[in-house]
């Protein structure tokens, strides 16, 4: 592989005009496709195999035109102090608002609070429910404006009016913090390279890659039913890995120049060595993201595949566009040692003296020597520290966000609080019990039996009269609990209703299904929990095999996987501490604590594992390269850090800055993912890869690179350390000498 990538890098360097033209054409094509594509709404959310989804599908069949998964809005009214909703003026204002709401072009139904009984016991709060024929993200702006105008009209009459539900759902925005993250990345690159041109190359190529990826997703969003969060995730991960991959190749290119090689040869060798690491690092990320398909949640699968596609583009750009741009940059990208000579540093002096001993050890070298001489102490401190950070993860509570997790400044959150005040917390997430009595002898008797049993269950406050379909063989019953939707108590009620299903089936031959947003959240959480272990086995197993091929070792990949588990558990602990317990919530911008998103653990496992293997591959391949070329195990660790620690540190800081930039998002899911990934990179890069990895390798010595002979013969030789390039380079130099002799 190293030889192939070497030739590819040289070809891209020589044919830079052609390579640049291809990437510009692809970016233009993707941009035109995105601009001309129809506007896509939110990705349709379905969870095959869950009871809540089966109930939704049944409702679509038995209640045609109902659009059970369409957007809903709850317009909540509160009377002025000392007044009641039933007072003539207040009642007239509500009825006028209901009539106005019912005129909307996308509205399917509107309930009148005074006819549906949606008035609180004290008479001060009431609500009207509006149903739409499309989802919240697909609602036209005119429908949203009409909803807000109707509420404003009621406010003018003196009522307090707030709007809950998903009808006002808006596309998430990240704010200025994302730009700050990119700015931080630029500063780190300038510090690392000491050159604006060298620093600009990774940023430029990463932006091109992300532009192609996000524009392609936008162009295909309507056809493939991709939501807005899909492009946000692709941008987040694509930007981070795009900068890092280009950073490693540019850094290796400068090191090759410092060895005295000409620019084309340096570009080829940088692509052959660092490029090989980029390929395998990218493969681990792609495996982790595509592996999300095992969860069998279409939305999550699409997010993973789209982000994996953006990562693949980042790898291709690093292998082709980066060498091409290095050709354009010419002498503006200086050798590694040039910065030290320009600043009067010791690295140039070392070169001039002709001995490595005269070179002043850099920070990476000094740290690696410290770890190699005290591996047990460093290992214990690092493991205990990560273990302490992981302690909050033992209190992990999973759920999906609702209006109760919105900032108190939003009308959705104020509507949530008003409903809780007037009707109890359970009114914000009523359960929908669907009774399929098509096979029952007496459908109405079966439905009554279900209603009576549910009324007597602990935690149930209200059971509404059943609503039948035209055939009279299917009924919907709304159940309100005494606890908030995301609570364990509400989950217990759902399980109790479902647990009564078999007995009801035996008595009346009717099927009982529980659905609604609250039940769907519970089912999603359970599905994600069940899929976590199979997903972990699949992703870690495949990546483990891949790393055995890369490192030709069994213990190094095993150590990499165990270190990843430590970092991901510590990161989950940090997420729980901030988003669930409220530690540093003000600093992060968390206005409301609550359960951690159900998909957060499995998502972090996938993404963090892929990113963690990036640093493992980049750092340890340099150690492997030194070991293969004859250095002792301890010295190979020091050599790996001397060449790679500075760049890995810069890459980690850049990735943290990019992820942290998404903490400013208005979407709680994006905010939590940004924080979790930033913290995970912090733990994995600076504790696991910079401390635990060298400590373990120092303790293992030669055993770290042990591989059974039968396995060594069976594995393909991918030559990540570039041993083939050494022979190739010697032959090339010999040919050049022969040509010089002939000319002489």
């Amino acid at each position: 592989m190293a030889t192939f990538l070497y030739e590819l890098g040289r070809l891209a360097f020589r044919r830079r005009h052609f390579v640049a033209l291809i990437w510009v054409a692809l970016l233009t094509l993707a941009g035109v496709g995105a601009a001309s594509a129809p506007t896509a709404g939110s990705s349709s959310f379905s969870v095959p195999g869950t009871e809540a989804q089966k109930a939704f599908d049944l409702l679509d069949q038995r209640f045609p035109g109902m659009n059970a998964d369409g957007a809903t809005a709850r317009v909540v009214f509160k009377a002025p102090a000392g007044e009641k909703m039933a007072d003539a003026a207040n009642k007239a204002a509500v009825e006028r608002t209901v009539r106005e709401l019912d005129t909307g072009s996308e509205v399917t139904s509107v309930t009148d609070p005074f006819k549906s009984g949606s008035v609180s016991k004290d008479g001060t709060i009431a609500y009207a429910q509006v149903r739409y024929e499309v989802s919240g993200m697909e609602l036209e702006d005119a429908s949203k404006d009409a909803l807000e105008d109707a509420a404003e009209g009621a406010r003018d009459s003196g009522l307090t009016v707030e709007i809950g539900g998903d009808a006002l759902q808006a596309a998430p925005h990240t704010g200025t913090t994302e730009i700050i993250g990119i700015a931080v990345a630029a500063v780190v690159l300038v510090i690392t390279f000491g050159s604006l041109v060298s620093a600009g190359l990774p940023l430029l190529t990463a932006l091109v890659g992300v532009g192609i990826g996000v524009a392609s997703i936008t162009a295909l969003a309507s056809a493939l039913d991709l939501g807005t969060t899909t492009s946000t995730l692709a941008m987040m991960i694509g930007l981070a890995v795009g900068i890092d991959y280009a950073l490693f190749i540019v850094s290796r290119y400068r090191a090759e120049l410092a060895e005295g090689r000409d620019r084309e040869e340096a570009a080829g060798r940088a692509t052959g060595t660092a490029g090989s690491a980029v390929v395998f690092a990218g493969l681990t990320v792609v495996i982790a993201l595509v592996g999300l398909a095992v969860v069998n949640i279409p939305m999550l699968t699409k997010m993973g595949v789209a982000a994996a596609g953006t990562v693949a583009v980042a790898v291709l750009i690093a292998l082709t566009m980066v060498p091409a741009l290095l050709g354009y940059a010419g002498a503006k990208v200086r050798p590694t040692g040039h910065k030290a000579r320009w600043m009067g540093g010791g690295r140039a002096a070392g070169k001039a003296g002709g001995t490595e001993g005269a070179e002043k050890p850099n920070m990476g070298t000094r740290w690696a020597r410290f770890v190699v001489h005290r591996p047990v102490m460093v290992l214990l401190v690092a493991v205990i520290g990560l273990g302490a950070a992981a302690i909050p993860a033992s209190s992990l509570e999973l759920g999906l966000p609702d209006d109760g997790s919105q900032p108190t400044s939003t009308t959705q959150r104020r509507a949530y609080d008003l409903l809780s005040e007037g009707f109890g917390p359970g009114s914000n997430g009523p359960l929908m019990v669907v009774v399929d009595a098509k096979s029952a002898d007496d459908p109405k008797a079966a439905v009554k039996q279900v209603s009576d049993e549910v009324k007597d269950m602990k935690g149930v406050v209200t059971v509404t009269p059943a609503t039948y379909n035209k055939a009279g063989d299917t009924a919907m019953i709304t159940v309100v609990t005494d606890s908030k939707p995301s609570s364990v108590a509400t989950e217990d009620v759902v399980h109790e209703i479902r647990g009564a299903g078999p007995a009801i089936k035996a008595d009346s031959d009717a099927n009982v299904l529980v659905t609604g947003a609250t039940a769907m959240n519970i089912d999603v959480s359970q599905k994600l929990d069940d899929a976590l272990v199979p997903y972990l086995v699949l992703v870690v197993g495949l990546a483990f095999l891949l790393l055995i091929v890369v490192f030709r070792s069994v213990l190094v990949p095993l150590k990499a996987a165990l270190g990843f588990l430590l970092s991901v558990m510590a990161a989950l602990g940090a997420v729980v501490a901030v988003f669930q317990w409220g530690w540093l919530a003000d600093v992060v911008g968390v206005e409301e604590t609550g359960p951690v998103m159900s998909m957060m653990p499995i998502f972090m496992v996938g993404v963090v594992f892929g990113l963690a293997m990036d640093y493992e591959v980049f750092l340890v391949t340099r150690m492997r390269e030194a070991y293969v070329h004859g250095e002792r195990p301890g010295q190979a660790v020091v050599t790996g850090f001397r060449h790679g620690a500075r760049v890995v540190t810069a890459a980690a800081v850049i990735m943290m800055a990019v992820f942290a930039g998404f903490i400013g998002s208005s979407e709680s899911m994006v905010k939590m993912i940004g924080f979790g990934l930033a913290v995970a990179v912090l733990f994995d890069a600076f504790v696991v890869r910079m401390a635990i990895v060298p400590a373990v390798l120092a303790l293992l010595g030669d055993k770290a690179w042990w591989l059974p002979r039968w396995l060594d013969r069976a594995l393909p030789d991918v030559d990540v350390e570039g041993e083939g390039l050494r022979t190739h380079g010697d032959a090339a130099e010999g040919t050049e000498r022969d040509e010089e002799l002939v000319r002489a």
Side-chain angles (χ1 to χ4, degrees):
M1 174 175 284
T3 303
F4 169 76
L5 293 178
Y6 164 81
E7 297 293 350
L8 179 64
R10 294 191 62 180
L11 178 65
F13 188 94
R14 290 196 307 271
R15 302 286 186 264
R16 45 188 171 273
H17 302 309
F18 180 69
V19 172
L21 183 62
I22 289 177
W23 285 111
V24 170
L26 288 174
L27 180 60
T28 303
L29 184 64
V32 171
S36 58
T39 303
S42 61
S43 176
S44 57
F45 188 81
S46 63
V47 188
T50 61
E51 181 170 318
Q53 188 62 50
K54 291 176 183 176
F56 274 132
D57 295 340
L58 181 66
L59 288 174
D60 286 339
Q61 295 174 9
R62 304 287 173 84
F63 291 82
M66 174 187 170
N67 296 308
D69 56 351
T72 60
R74 283 189 169 186
V75 183
V76 188
F77 307 90
K78 183 175 183 179
E83 297 182 17
K84 301 289 186 181
M85 290 303 306
D87 292 348
N90 295 334
K91 185 176 182 180
V94 171
E95 291 175 340
R96 184 171 60 253
T97 303
V98 169
R99 288 194 299 270
E100 187 177 344
L101 289 170
D102 202 22
T103 61
S105 60
E106 295 180 299
V107 174
T108 58
S109 65
V110 181
T111 61
D112 186 326
F114 302 103
K115 294 178 181 178
S116 62
S118 304
V119 181
S120 62
K121 290 182 179 179
D122 63 3
T124 61
I125 298 175
Y127 69 88
Q129 181 141 314
V130 187
R131 285 191 175 276
Y132 295 87
E133 59 187 20
V134 295
S135 67
M137 289 297 292
E138 294 171 318
L139 271 182
E140 295 179 358
D141 290 339
S143 295
K144 296 181 180 181
D145 293 341
L147 176 61
E148 293 177 323
D149 290 343
E152 192 60 38
R155 292 189 188 104
D156 292 339
S157 65
L159 296 174
T160 298
V161 187
E162 303 296 346
I163 305 171
D166 60 352
L168 294 182
Q169 183 179 0
H173 62 270
T174 54
T176 57
T177 50
E178 179 187 349
I179 299 174
I180 294 173
I182 296 176
V184 171
V187 171
V188 173
L189 287 169
V190 171
I191 294 174
T192 303
F193 290 135
S195 164
L196 290 175
V197 175
S198 299
L201 282 177
L203 278 176
L204 176 61
T205 54
L207 290 173
V208 170
V210 168
I212 292 173
V214 173
S216 300
I217 291 170
T218 304
L220 299 172
S222 180
L224 300 181
D225 192 26
L226 303 176
T228 53
T229 308
T230 304
S231 58
T232 304
L233 174 65
M235 182 189 302
M236 183 190 302
I237 296 177
L239 195 59
V241 300
I243 294 174
D244 278 7
Y245 294 166
L247 166 65
F248 280 105
I249 290 182
V250 173
S251 177
R252 186 61 183 256
Y253 171 76
R254 296 176 71 234
E256 295 293 338
L257 289 179
E259 295 292 330
R261 295 186 172 88
D262 65 58
R263 295 190 176 277
E264 182 179 326
E265 178 70 13
R269 286 181 173 270
T271 309
T273 52
S276 297
V278 165
V279 169
F280 284 99
L283 274 176
T284 59
V285 180
V286 169
I287 288 172
L289 290 170
V290 174
L292 290 169
V294 303
V295 184
N296 196 27
I297 295 179
M299 183 188 76
L300 198 59
T301 300
K302 292 171 186 175
M303 289 172 62
V305 171
T310 306
V311 172
V313 171
V315 171
L316 292 174
I317 282 183
L319 299 177
T320 57
M321 190 175 182
V322 170
L325 292 183
L326 289 173
Y328 281 116
K332 293 178 182 177
V333 177
R334 304 181 180 96
T336 301
H338 182 90
K339 177 183 174 184
R341 286 194 295 271
W342 177 54
M343 298 174 64
R347 186 175 179 88
K351 283 281 182 183
T355 61
E356 188 178 341
E359 180 183 335
K360 181 181 179 181
N362 59 21
M363 181 66 74
T365 302
R366 295 195 297 271
W367 169 250
R369 288 172 179 169
F370 174 83
V371 175
V372 167
H373 290 133
R374 301 170 182 81
V376 175
M377 182 192 74
V378 171
L379 185 62
L380 287 176
V381 171
V383 171
I384 292 172
L386 289 178
I391 289 175
S394 62
S395 302
L396 178 67
E397 295 178 10
L398 298 176
L400 289 177
D402 55 20
D403 285 348
S405 62
Q406 295 271 8
T408 53
S409 58
T410 63
T411 186
Q412 292 95 327
R413 173 57 190 277
R414 292 195 294 265
Y416 182 98
D417 292 339
L418 281 178
L419 282 172
S420 297
E421 178 188 339
F423 303 91
S427 61
N428 282 291
L431 307 175
M432 186 185 297
V433 179
V434 181
V435 184
D436 179 7
K438 191 171 186 178
S439 302
D441 296 331
D442 187 348
K444 290 192 175 181
V447 173
K448 185 177 184 303
Q449 179 185 352
V450 173
S451 296
D452 292 342
E453 288 197 25
V454 172
K455 283 179 185 176
D456 295 335
M457 290 180 180
K458 182 181 178 182
V460 174
V461 175
T462 305
V463 177
T464 64
T467 301
Y468 291 88
N469 65 342
K470 288 183 179 180
D473 58 10
T474 307
M476 291 186 302
I477 303 169
T478 300
V479 178
V480 178
T481 66
D482 61 2
S483 51
K484 63 181 183 178
S486 58
S487 67
V488 176
T490 298
E491 186 175 344
D492 291 340
V493 172
V494 171
H495 290 320
E496 187 174 358
I497 296 173
R498 288 174 172 172
I504 294 172
K505 173 72 173 175
D507 290 344
S508 62
D509 209 22
N511 291 314
V512 178
L513 302 171
V514 184
T515 189
T518 301
M520 179 63 83
N521 288 353
I522 292 170
D523 288 351
V524 169
S525 297
Q526 186 61 52
K527 193 175 183 71
L528 289 165
D529 189 50
D530 293 342
L532 182 59
V533 173
Y535 174 71
L536 193 62
V537 171
L538 172 69
V539 172
V540 175
L542 287 176
F544 181 78
L545 294 175
L546 187 65
L547 292 179
I548 287 179
V549 173
V550 174
F551 296 129
R552 309 198 73 79
S553 163
V554 174
L555 296 180
V556 171
L558 180 62
K559 173 263 308 167
L562 294 177
F564 149 74
L565 290 176
L566 276 174
S567 59
V568 79
M569 288 304 297
L572 274 177
V575 169
V576 170
V578 173
F579 289 87
Q580 188 175 309
W581 292 359
W583 293 6
L584 300 177
D586 293 338
V587 176
V588 180
V590 179
E591 295 193 30
E592 187 68 26
T593 59
V596 173
M597 280 189 316
S598 301
M599 64 178 64
M600 194 66 188
I602 198 165
F603 188 81
M604 283 191 65
V605 164
V607 178
V608 174
F609 183 78
L611 299 179
M613 294 306 103
D614 276 6
Y615 300 117
E616 181 76 14
V617 169
F618 286 127
L619 195 59
V620 180
T621 48
R622 205 66 192 257
M623 299 178 191
R624 167 77 181 172
E625 184 178 338
Y627 180 77
V628 167
H629 292 161
E631 293 189 9
R632 299 187 311 276
Q635 183 57 39
V637 171
V638 175
T639 299
F641 268 77
R642 182 173 69 249
H643 292 295
R646 180 183 177 87
V647 181
V648 168
T649 299
V653 172
I654 289 169
M655 197 171 278
M656 288 167 55
V658 172
F659 288 147
F662 288 84
I663 296 175
S665 174
S666 61
E667 177 69 36
S668 58
M669 174 180 174
V670 176
K671 180 189 289 287
M672 192 178 293
I673 288 174
F675 174 82
L677 293 182
V679 172
V681 170
L682 172 67
F683 288 148
D684 196 86
F686 293 104
V687 181
V688 174
R689 309 303 153 190
M690 291 290 185
I692 293 178
V693 166
V696 171
L697 290 178
L699 289 171
L700 290 175
D702 288 305
K703 296 184 181 67
W705 309 106
W706 170 79
L707 186 69
R709 290 184 180 178
W710 63 269
L711 185 57
D712 186 40
R713 290 192 297 269
L715 291 177
D717 185 5
V718 295
D719 189 23
V720 175
E721 59 274 1
E723 182 63 25
L725 295 185
R726 171 170 291 204
T727 306
H728 185 89
D730 291 343
E733 289 173 6
T735 301
E736 290 174 1
R737 285 194 298 269
D738 292 342
E739 291 175 351
E740 290 176 1
L741 288 173
V742 170
R743 286 194 298 269

